[in-house]
Amino acid sequence: SRGAADARISKREISGLAIDRTFITDQSLASNFVDSQTMDGIVTLSGSVGDLLAKRRAVALAETIKGVKSVIDEIKVTPSPLTDEQINGNVTKAFAADPAVRHYAVTSTVREGVVTLNGQVAHWPEKRLAQEVAESVRGVRDVRNEIALAPRAKVTDGQLEADIARVWGEDAWLEGTALKVAVHQGQANLSGKIHSAAEKARAYNDALVAGAQSVDDTALQVDWAAGEIMERNVRPVTTSDLTANTAVVETLVDDPRVSAFQTRVTVNDGIVTLGGVVDNLKARKAAEEDARNTLGVLGVENFIKVRPVNPPSDSVLTNRVEEALMRNSLTAFEPIQVAAIHGTVYLSGMIDTPYMKETAIDSVYRVDGVTDVEDGLILRSKAGVASMSDWELQHQIENQIAFSPLLDARKMEVLVANGVVTLKGEVNTLAARQTAMDLARKSGARSVRNRLTVMSLPVAHRPEGAS
């Protein structure tokens, strides 16, 4: 493993080279056509990509790199051969097929590939969800979200400040940050210091989730060096079961995919048990993800049952899944085979990247009638990955860890043997443990043995490893 000197990153390294390394490692971007320039921590991305999801992913990846204060997105999306009418038809179908968005009073129009959304929803997470569904549709170059929010009961500025602080305090991805908020006439003014541009974006979104009418984050500073100092002194997160239970319940209420269902939540020694019934698989998966991302949660056991209101026949369900994959900009041209048997969907075939694989599976989760997914998708061998030596793979992963704001490279060790990666050391949260595993996978690991210890977990609950 690298020593402490290697784990520290000089300001000179926060450059286009670091961004390019991340893009190439991710394998999901046509990195030859995306350029980056860095000045005083401000990254400007330019060039062109084939779809809007790739553009959004490029920005998200750049935001995760230590030292990046903000990202200016000038990437252009290549025009699609589809007509505006065809694109709008696909957006309409995507809305109708989505188990949550189909209930919203939202309409779309398209001009030159740019989708404009109109209508009204109750809360900001619903507005964001409608936009996410539209962005995933093949041919969409951009989305203008003009959906209005329904008038809410009057909330005092003081109460809104408390709500924002609560949402921040429950967010595992913001653990160890120094955030402040002052609300004036419904506008949340954020300040303090945070580790990364990605965390800044999350703090911004959390304020909107809490009910802010608008957010000003210009006074919120990104300072990864200060973050490292805080990480050295941070202690493992300990939360009472009652506090964790309340936090999980509140998080589920804020999620439009889950809030319509009566989800049972119990917590014992930090382990969350979820129960109840939902009518779609995405709601079940979202509830588990929400619980895992709640600060103080040490593990999740998901016993939620999926019971579609009108279960389709196997042939109808197969067609629905195939149509969903064809609408998605990343999976439309992937040779994915689909079979459905009594609600369980079996996927097989070759696919290019881990991100595409995740997108394909997530698209299936959203299909009405799916109760489970069996993943038989196999990643195509990349020439660059296939020829990578163990030393090169180790160096690649160590670089990714060094640039991640959630991880402390000084407390971690990366071992590689015949393409199999073993991660050892300590992290503070389950979110950080999962991040390390994801970085190893996307770097080209054949498999990952995750031996990282989560310091907030009692010894009895610490995982032995995963691959």
Side-chain angles (χ1 to χ4, degrees):
S1 64
R2 294 166 21 160
D6 292 320
R8 282 201 162 283
I9 307 163
S10 70
K11 290 185 178 179
R12 274 186 230 172
E13 278 193 272
I14 308 301
S15 63
L17 181 60
I19 304 289
D20 290 343
R21 179 191 298 139
T22 300
F23 286 176
I24 292 171
T25 301
D26 186 74
Q27 304 174 21
S28 297
L29 296 169
S31 53
N32 287 328
F33 299 97
V34 178
D35 298 316
S36 64
Q37 291 185 328
T38 305
M39 181 68 68
D40 296 328
I42 310 298
V43 174
T44 301
L45 300 179
S46 59
S48 63
V49 292
D51 58 80
L52 185 56
L53 288 183
K55 174 183 169 81
R56 296 286 187 256
R57 184 157 180 80
V59 173
L61 287 172
E63 286 179 338
T64 64
I65 295 175
K66 285 181 179 177
V68 173
K69 298 177 181 178
S70 66
V71 179
I72 299 172
D73 177 16
E74 296 181 354
I75 298 173
K76 299 190 183 326
V77 178
T78 306
S80 166
L82 298 179
T83 66
D84 287 344
E85 183 178 3
Q86 290 173 316
I87 294 171
N88 197 37
N90 285 334
V91 171
T92 301
K93 290 177 181 177
F95 283 174
D98 188 272
V101 177
R102 66 186 176 196
H103 300 295
Y104 302 167
V106 173
T107 60
S108 62
T109 57
V110 181
R111 183 174 181 180
E112 296 181 354
V114 177
V115 176
T116 300
L117 302 180
N118 288 284
Q120 188 179 78
V121 295
H123 306 291
W124 182 80
E126 296 167 355
K127 177 176 179 175
R128 176 180 61 181
L129 180 57
Q131 178 171 332
E132 289 174 356
V133 172
E135 288 178 342
S136 71
V137 174
R138 183 163 62 100
V140 173
R141 299 179 63 199
D142 203 357
V143 176
R144 295 173 182 166
N145 196 340
E146 298 180 2
I147 298 173
L149 298 180
R152 301 185 54 183
K154 182 71 174 176
V155 178
T156 66
D157 287 347
Q159 181 59 52
L160 184 53
E161 286 181 3
D163 288 344
I164 293 171
R166 171 186 63 79
V167 175
W168 283 345
E170 295 168 354
D171 192 337
W173 296 91
L174 297 180
E175 185 254 340
T177 56
L179 291 164
K180 299 177 183 177
V181 60
V183 178
H184 179 66
Q185 296 182 349
Q187 175 174 296
N189 302 293
L190 313 186
S191 60
K193 290 186 178 181
I194 205 160
H195 305 171
S196 69
E199 290 176 344
K200 183 173 182 177
R202 195 167 182 101
Y204 182 102
N205 289 337
D206 280 354
L208 290 171
V209 169
Q213 296 176 20
S214 59
V215 179
D216 181 356
D217 64 355
T218 54
L220 182 55
Q221 301 176 15
V222 176
D223 186 350
W224 70 268
E228 283 202 332
I229 294 173
M230 286 191 290
E231 284 172 6
R232 281 191 213 113
N233 299 321
V234 72
R235 294 181 179 180
V237 179
T238 55
T239 304
S240 71
D241 287 346
L242 178 60
T243 299
N245 193 306
T246 301
V248 172
V249 170
E250 290 173 339
T251 301
L252 297 180
V253 169
D254 288 335
D255 189 333
R257 294 200 178 279
V258 186
S259 57
F261 306 102
Q262 299 297 318
T263 305
R264 295 193 305 274
V265 179
T266 58
V267 183
N268 184 27
D269 291 336
I271 307 300
V272 174
T273 301
L274 301 175
V277 177
V278 298
D279 67 11
N280 66 90
L281 183 56
K282 182 60 180 177
R284 182 182 192 274
K285 298 294 183 180
E288 181 173 336
E289 182 179 5
D290 289 341
R292 289 189 185 280
N293 287 337
T294 301
L295 193 63
V297 170
L298 308 180
V300 180
E301 295 182 334
N302 192 347
F303 295 108
I304 296 174
K305 295 179 172 62
V306 181
R307 293 177 182 166
V309 177
N310 295 303
S313 67
D314 292 345
S315 60
V316 169
L317 185 55
T318 298
N319 289 335
R320 286 180 183 175
V321 171
E322 290 174 343
E323 289 173 359
L325 293 173
M326 281 299 297
R327 279 194 301 269
N328 189 282
S329 61
L330 284 182
T331 60
F333 301 107
E334 293 296 311
I336 299 174
Q337 286 81 53
V338 179
I341 302 176
H342 303 311
T344 297
V345 171
Y346 298 82
L347 302 178
S348 59
M350 307 290 288
I351 200 162
D352 277 340
T353 70
Y355 180 55
M356 284 184 178
K357 182 175 180 177
E358 292 168 10
T359 300
I361 294 171
D362 186 70
S363 295
V364 180
Y365 287 162
R366 300 166 187 256
V367 175
D368 187 21
V370 176
T371 59
D372 200 3
V373 176
E374 290 291 335
D375 171 25
L377 296 173
I378 300 173
L379 294 175
R380 293 188 182 96
S381 295
K382 295 286 186 179
V385 175
S387 62
M388 193 182 300
S389 68
D390 286 347
W391 180 88
E392 289 172 317
L393 179 57
Q394 177 183 341
H395 184 68
Q396 186 99 280
I397 296 170
E398 287 174 339
N399 277 330
Q400 293 297 307
I401 289 173
F403 279 103
S404 171
L406 277 180
L407 303 173
D408 187 345
R410 295 162 305 196
K411 298 179 181 179
M412 298 174 63
E413 182 180 11
V414 179
L415 304 174
V416 183
N418 297 320
V420 177
V421 174
T422 301
L423 301 176
K424 294 184 176 181
E426 300 174 354
V427 292
N428 286 324
T429 65
L430 283 173
R433 188 176 189 273
Q434 184 62 47
T435 295
M437 192 171 204
D438 291 343
L439 290 177
R441 282 173 173 164
K442 79 176 187 180
S443 295
R446 288 175 51 205
S447 63
V448 182
R449 295 171 180 166
N450 198 339
R451 311 298 189 198
L452 291 170
T453 299
V454 182
M455 296 309 296
S456 55
L457 280 170
V459 173
H461 292 309
R462 290 179 183 175
E464 293 298 320
S467 61

